Amino acid sequence: METFDIVFYIFATLTIVSAFVVVFTKNIMYAAFSLLFTFIGVAALYVLLHADFLAVTQILIYVGGILVLLLFGVMLTNNVVSVDIKTGTLNTIPALVAAAVIVGSLAAVFYMTWSTVGEPATAPTATTRAIGELLMTGYALPFEVASVVLLAALIGAALMARRTRKP
Amino acid sequence: MKTELLNLIANEVLVYTLMAVVPLLWVIPFALFAVWWERKISAHMQDRLGPMLTGGWHGWAQTIADIAKLIQKEDIIPTAADRKLFVLAPYVVFVGSYAAYAAIPFAAAYVGAEINVGLFYIISISSLVVIGLLMAGWASNNKWSLYGSLRSAAQIISYEIPVALALLAAVMVAGTFDMQEINRLQSGSILDWFIFQKFPFLFLAGIIYFVASLAEVNRTPFDLPESESELVGGYHTEYGGMRFALLFLSEYANMFAVSAILVTLFFGGWGSPFGSFLSGAWYFDLGWFLLKSMVVIFVQMWLRWTLPRLRVDQLMYVGWKVLIPFSFVIILGIGAWVIAAGH
């Protein structure tokens, strides 16, 4: 499996480097487009862990949905032809606190579950049916709650868009 | 095919890479042929001859000459364009179109990657094309390009929903996302094809998929992103030479990909329409698959030279108020049918 290790390191590097570009570039369009490579890299890492359904969902939701909407928003709200759309650093201290809390909780989760994490599945197994059954049985309530939240957001967005049109 | 290759070459990654290159041997000749074919079809529909001289017989070498010309062209990048993204965009578009071929079953013996979520993968990976088009339009720093790519993105994300719902209807009948398995379920005669199953629900789903897929690949009557009369050339206005050729190639690659999905899900894929007649060997599979796909592509071209272009509001009306409600009705109907019949 040595060649798969090389594939892993290629995609890991792609993910990390593009994530750095997202954070440190001054041009917001570059940040949005390098987010594409971060998402693809993460999806590839899921594939290497044999989580095929998760990988494809990652691409569908993040690349096909969120990233397209993000680019759309940036393109429509900024002056259409100007290239100098810049990002700056604002609210440094609250951002640092928030980042520290997230890193802390991630590290806590990491150390607490480190011993219980099993080996990844060695052979590609069909995960779609199992995920579907769990969503419809054991996790039906969280699933439905999430869809109601999304529906509320959708209706809210449509309402706000309408209100601005009629002054 | 994979097992034979694995016996031949021990390295798994190398085998997968080889498997991935195979469809390229089809895509490039197909694009060359399809451009010539489209020009001949348009010419005959408009009562003229089209290219007749290059190569002798009915101008068959016209697109080869065109490509030779495009290769020699100067590589122009507009001064005000965003250089990096301008250069990158055609590759992102082509990678997005070509990545879909990994899960298209060309024959019983060949599919680029045997994955369980094949169809789901194809739906999701095609969103790379949208990103590539937005990148091309924005990096060109040209109003026409930007409007073209914004229209294209709006159109593709709107029509992705009916596409996914119509395909989901077929998946509900098949019970799997695996493209080969869906294909095998339709083996037998023409009546086993999904388009004639659960009549009329899957029949309508097939029509909805076909209409919405036309919008996904920016074909007439949904070719607003590059409508020459208003937007010059849409997102590829500023592109020339090989970069333009790459965008053009991926457009034709997309056309074949959506036709191949339609054929696989609704028209029996590589299966013969006459039961066991002319089937069994890989060349029969491949022949049937390509023949059926080419028929669908012919219909796409036929529509392009028959129908006028829709307006933007009409486009959104058809997508959101016609195709999506109908596909929901189909999903409900098939769901009820599957529950009632027990399979």
Side-chain angles (χ1 to χ4, degrees):
Chain A
M1 283 301 222
E2 269 189 6
T3 30
F4 278 105
D5 289 346
I6 299 171
V7 175
F8 167 78
Y9 283 113
I10 290 172
F11 281 113
T13 319
L14 176 81
T15 314
I16 293 171
V17 169
S18 57
F20 268 102
V21 175
V22 174
V23 177
F24 289 111
T25 183
K26 289 278 175 236
N27 187 327
I28 196 166
M29 290 306 279
Y30 283 2
F33 281 124
S34 47
L35 207 51
L36 167 70
F37 296 100
T38 316
F39 290 150
I40 298 276
V42 171
L45 295 182
Y46 282 144
V47 171
L48 289 173
L49 289 170
H50 298 300
D52 50 358
F53 184 78
L54 200 58
V56 175
T57 315
Q58 158 89 9
I59 295 179
L60 186 74
I61 305 291
Y62 284 98
V63 178
I66 291 176
L67 190 56
V68 171
L69 279 181
L70 206 117
L71 287 169
F72 230 73
V74 173
M75 282 183 180
L76 284 178
T77 47
N78 279 283
N79 183 7
V80 171
V81 279
S82 95
V83 191
D84 44 299
I85 310 162
K86 301 281 190 227
T87 52
T89 314
L90 289 170
N91 302 333
T92 322
I93 294 163
L96 272 178
V97 172
V101 168
I102 291 170
V103 169
S105 44
L106 276 178
V109 169
F110 188 71
Y111 280 113
M112 278 190 284
T113 55
W114 179 248
S115 53
T116 56
V117 171
E119 287 285 305
T122 42
T125 43
T127 53
T128 322
R129 189 173 289 273
I131 290 175
E133 270 165 17
L134 280 177
L135 279 182
M136 284 297 142
T137 54
Y139 295 90
L141 186 67
F143 181 68
E144 290 301 322
V145 169
S147 38
V148 169
V149 169
L150 286 176
L151 182 67
L154 206 67
I155 295 171
L159 194 74
M160 280 162 76
R162 290 228 157 176
R163 202 177 283 160
T164 47
R165 198 170 291 169
K166 272 187 284 179
Chain B
M1 187 173 169
K2 199 182 99 192
T3 37
E4 285 93 342
L5 270 176
L6 269 174
N7 289 334
L8 207 64
I9 320 161
N11 191 323
E12 262 186 277
V13 174
L14 207 63
V15 170
Y16 288 134
T17 316
L18 276 178
M19 296 278 285
V21 176
V22 175
L24 204 60
L25 301 177
W26 163 252
V27 172
I28 292 171
F30 161 76
L32 287 176
F33 169 73
V35 174
W36 171 80
W37 199 30
E38 175 138 39
R39 292 176 73 172
K40 294 307 272 189
I41 289 173
S42 71
H44 285 276
M45 285 189 181
Q46 295 166 347
D47 206 8
R48 54 189 176 85
L49 289 171
M52 286 300 281
L53 292 174
T54 324
W57 185 79
H58 285 265
W60 66 271
Q62 185 63 50
T63 35
I64 299 170
D66 286 344
I67 283 289
K69 183 198 75 176
L70 280 174
I71 291 173
Q72 294 172 51
K73 272 197 171 176
E74 188 191 348
D75 180 28
I76 298 171
I77 299 174
T79 341
D82 188 306
R83 232 188 136 77
K84 284 178 210 148
L85 293 180
F86 187 84
V87 173
L88 185 63
Y91 298 104
V92 175
V93 174
F94 184 71
V95 166
S97 327
Y98 186 62
Y101 282 75
I104 292 178
F106 280 81
Y110 177 78
V111 57
E114 287 153 26
I115 42 177
N116 275 307
V117 286
L119 183 65
F120 193 35
Y121 161 81
I122 293 177
I123 297 173
S124 73
I125 204 75
S126 54
S127 49
L128 263 184
V129 179
V130 187
I131 307 278
L133 295 184
L134 282 172
M135 203 186 270
W138 187 80
S140 298
N141 200 4
N142 172 326
K143 281 179 186 169
W144 286 302
S145 298
L146 189 67
Y147 279 125
S149 66
L150 280 178
R151 275 189 193 183
S152 178
Q155 177 172 320
I156 293 175
I157 54 179
S158 305
Y159 278 77
E160 233 168 35
I161 301 166
V163 161
L165 289 175
L167 294 179
L168 195 62
V171 168
M172 282 168 79
V173 174
T176 175
F177 276 124
D178 189 336
M179 295 288 269
Q180 286 287 32
E181 191 57 39
I182 292 172
N183 220 315
R184 257 177 244 127
L185 286 170
Q186 299 176 73
S187 56
S189 72
I190 194 165
L191 289 173
D192 289 311
W193 292 359
F194 275 176
I195 194 97
F196 300 118
Q197 301 278 310
K198 305 267 186 285
F199 196 83
F201 292 117
L202 276 189
F203 189 77
L204 287 175
I207 292 173
I208 289 178
Y209 176 72
F210 180 69
V211 172
S213 72
L214 284 179
E216 285 250 289
V217 296
N218 300 332
R219 297 284 300 180
T220 319
F222 307 106
D223 67 337
L224 295 116
E226 44 193 282
S227 49
E228 333 46 34
S229 43
E230 350 170 356
L231 290 182
V232 190
Y235 52 86
H236 53 58
T237 306
E238 296 286 357
Y239 282 90
M242 274 321 281
R243 293 184 212 290
F244 172 74
L246 206 56
L247 286 172
F248 213 61
L249 175 66
S250 79
E251 219 161 274
Y252 278 86
N254 277 337
M255 267 171 77
F256 184 80
V258 296
S259 312
I261 296 165
L262 182 75
V263 164
T264 306
L265 266 100
F266 295 101
F267 293 97
W270 37 256
S272 160
F274 314 111
S276 54
F277 179 62
L278 288 182
S279 74
W282 67 270
Y283 41 85
F284 286 133
D285 291 351
L286 188 67
W288 281 120
F289 181 76
L290 296 184
L291 180 73
K292 290 174 189 172
S293 306
M294 292 310 263
V295 171
V296 178
I297 288 167
F298 173 74
V299 178
Q300 287 184 347
M301 292 179 175
W302 178 9
L303 287 176
R304 173 164 178 189
W305 300 102
T306 310
L307 296 174
R309 183 181 301 135
L310 291 181
R311 278 197 324 259
V312 180
D313 59 318
Q314 291 169 332
L315 175 98
M316 289 297 155
Y317 176 85
V318 171
W320 289 95
K321 293 190 176 171
V322 180
L323 295 183
I324 292 177
F326 269 96
S327 17
F328 273 121
V329 170
I330 289 167
I331 293 230
L332 283 177
I334 287 183
W337 193 321
V338 168
I339 290 170
H343 61 80

